Amino acid sequence: MSGRVKLGIIGCGIAANDLHWPALKNLSDCFEIVEVCNRSPAKALSFAKLIGSSTGKEPACSTDYQNILANPEIAAVNIALPVELNAPVIRDSLRAGKHVICEKPLAENLNSAAALLDLEKNFPHQVAMVAENVRYRRFIGRIKELIANGSIGRPYLVQWRHLTKIEDDNKYAQTSWRKNHVYQGGFITDAGVHDVAALHDLLGPLELLSSFSDCVNPAIGSTDCMMCHFVSQSGLHGSLSLGFSVVAHEQNQLIILGSAGTLTFEHNLLTLKKADDSIHEEDLSDDWGFEAEFRDFYQAITQGKKPHSTFAKAYADLAFILACTVN
C-alpha cells in the first residue's frame, strides 16, 4: 500500500479534537479522514467541520460506527472512545478488515484486554496498535542513549513523582464516563498508564514488589493516588508515585541515579549532573509524541512493519497499573 491511508475516526470527544486532530492535520500527506462518528450528531458534525475548515473537505458524519466499518473505502480506524467501549469496537473493526489504532488504556479490565490479544492473532495482516503517545516522546530515547553510553555509570535507582491536582471542573474529570467509571483505577489508570508505559520502554519488564492506593477526592473517580516499588529484570529498583488530588504542590519529575552521575527530567528539560559538578542540559520539548505515533501507524500500514506501541505492550502497561491499585 502507498499514498494516503483513508481513515475513519470513531469518537469525536476531547481526545479526537484536542490530541489526535492536531497531529493528523500535520500528517495530511499520510491520512485522508473520510468519515467521523459519534453517538451525538452535534459532536460528529462539529468535528467534521473542524476538519473541513483545514482540509477544504468535510468528512462524512455518522452516529453508528458500523457505517464506517461497512465503508470499503476506509482502510483504517482511529478509536477514541470511553475505555469500556474499546473492546467491542476493536473486535468489530478487526473483523471488518480495518487496521486499528485505539486510545489507551487497551480495555476496561485485564480479562477484556487478554481477549483482545487473542483476537489480534487472527488478523496477522492488519495493524493493531494502541495510541500510547508517551512511548514516542523524545526524552525516552535520549535517556536510553545516555544510559547505554555510560554517562551516569551504573544506574541503581529510579524515582518518578507525578503529583498534581485535577480540579473538579477539569474537562477530563467532567466527562461522565470518567466520573462514573466502570474501569478499575480511575485517574490512576487513565493517566498513570502513561508513566508506566514510559518506564517499560526505559527499563523493560517490571516486577511489582509493593504498592498502595487510595481515594482522596471521589468526585474524580475511585482512585486518585498511588505509590509503588518495583524492580527491573536487570535488578534496577525504582518507585512511582502518582497523585491527582494533591494540595499546594505540583511535580512531575523523573530521577535516575547512577554510580557516576544523575539524570533528571522535568518540564521537558533533561539534566545530566556528573561527579565533577558539570551540568549538561537539553530541552526535549515535543508535541508529547502524538504526531510520531500516527506516523508509526501509517508506516506500519504502508510498509508492513510492526508498530512500536503494540497491544502486547499496552496489556503489560495495564496489568502493572491495575496491580498497583489492588491493596
Side-chain angles (χ1 to χ4, degrees), residues 41-286:
K43 280 190 176 182
L45 181 60
S46 174
F47 190 43
K49 287 186 177 298
L50 175 66
I51 295 168
S53 67
S54 176
T55 64
K57 181 182 179 182
E58 286 186 21
C61 291
S62 176
T63 57
D64 185 350
Y65 73 89
Q66 294 291 350
N67 292 333
I68 287 180
L69 301 187
N71 187 340
E73 183 184 16
I74 293 174
V77 293
N78 174 25
I79 301 169
L81 294 169
V83 178
E84 63 270 19
L85 299 180
N86 276 355
V89 179
I90 290 170
R91 181 176 61 246
D92 289 349
S93 299
L94 288 174
R95 288 173 176 169
K98 310 301 184 185
H99 302 288
V100 169
I101 182 171
C102 74
E103 258 298 330
K104 58 78 211 165
L106 178 58
E108 75 277 13
N109 58 54
L110 215 51
N111 287 338
S112 183
L116 290 176
L117 284 186
D118 287 339
L119 177 68
E120 178 194 15
K121 297 173 185 176
N122 298 324
F123 304 94
H125 302 299
Q126 290 165 235
V127 176
M129 178 175 164
V130 172
E132 179 46 82
N133 57 288
V134 172
R135 283 206 147 85
Y136 297 87
R137 294 209 61 194
R138 294 174 61 198
F139 79 90
I140 294 179
R142 183 58 177 143
I143 288 175
K144 291 175 71 173
E145 181 181 24
L146 289 169
I147 291 175
N149 69 23
S151 293
I152 62 170
R154 179 184 65 85
Y156 61 88
L157 187 65
V158 176
Q159 183 183 72
W160 196 332
R161 292 180 178 176
H162 186 175
L163 310 173
T164 189
K165 185 175 184 180
I166 304 295
E167 301 290 351
D168 292 352
D169 61 354
N170 176 279
K171 64 181 178 181
Y172 291 96
Q174 280 296 301
T175 53
S176 60
W177 61 272
R178 287 188 174 94
K179 291 175 68 175
N180 307 299
H181 58 89
V182 298
Y183 59 94
Q184 183 182 347
F187 258 87
I188 292 299
T189 298
D190 196 27
V193 75
H194 284 307
D195 302 314
V196 172
L199 288 170
H200 276 151
D201 263 30
L202 283 168
L203 308 176
L206 304 175
E207 178 188 353
L208 179 63
L209 300 179
S210 63
S211 67
F212 158 84
S213 63
D214 199 0
C215 177
V216 178
N217 179 17
I220 66 168
S222 66
T223 315
D224 56 9
C225 73
M226 181 274 285
M227 181 173 64
C228 72
H229 175 206
F230 58 81
V231 62
S232 72
Q233 287 185 331
S234 66
L236 178 61
H237 281 255
S239 66
L240 173 63
S241 300
L242 301 173
F244 298 109
S245 298
V246 180
V247 177
H249 182 73
E250 187 157 353
Q251 180 182 25
N252 191 357
Q253 183 187 59
L254 171 65
I255 303 174
I256 304 177
L257 306 181
S259 59
T262 298
L263 283 170
T264 62
F265 182 70
E266 187 173 19
H267 300 307
N268 294 321
L269 184 67
L270 180 65
T271 303
L272 169 62
K273 297 182 179 180
K274 304 281 283 185
D276 60 4
D277 294 328
S278 63
I279 298 177
H280 172 72
E281 295 182 337
E282 296 181 28
D283 183 350
L284 296 178
S285 298
D286 53 22

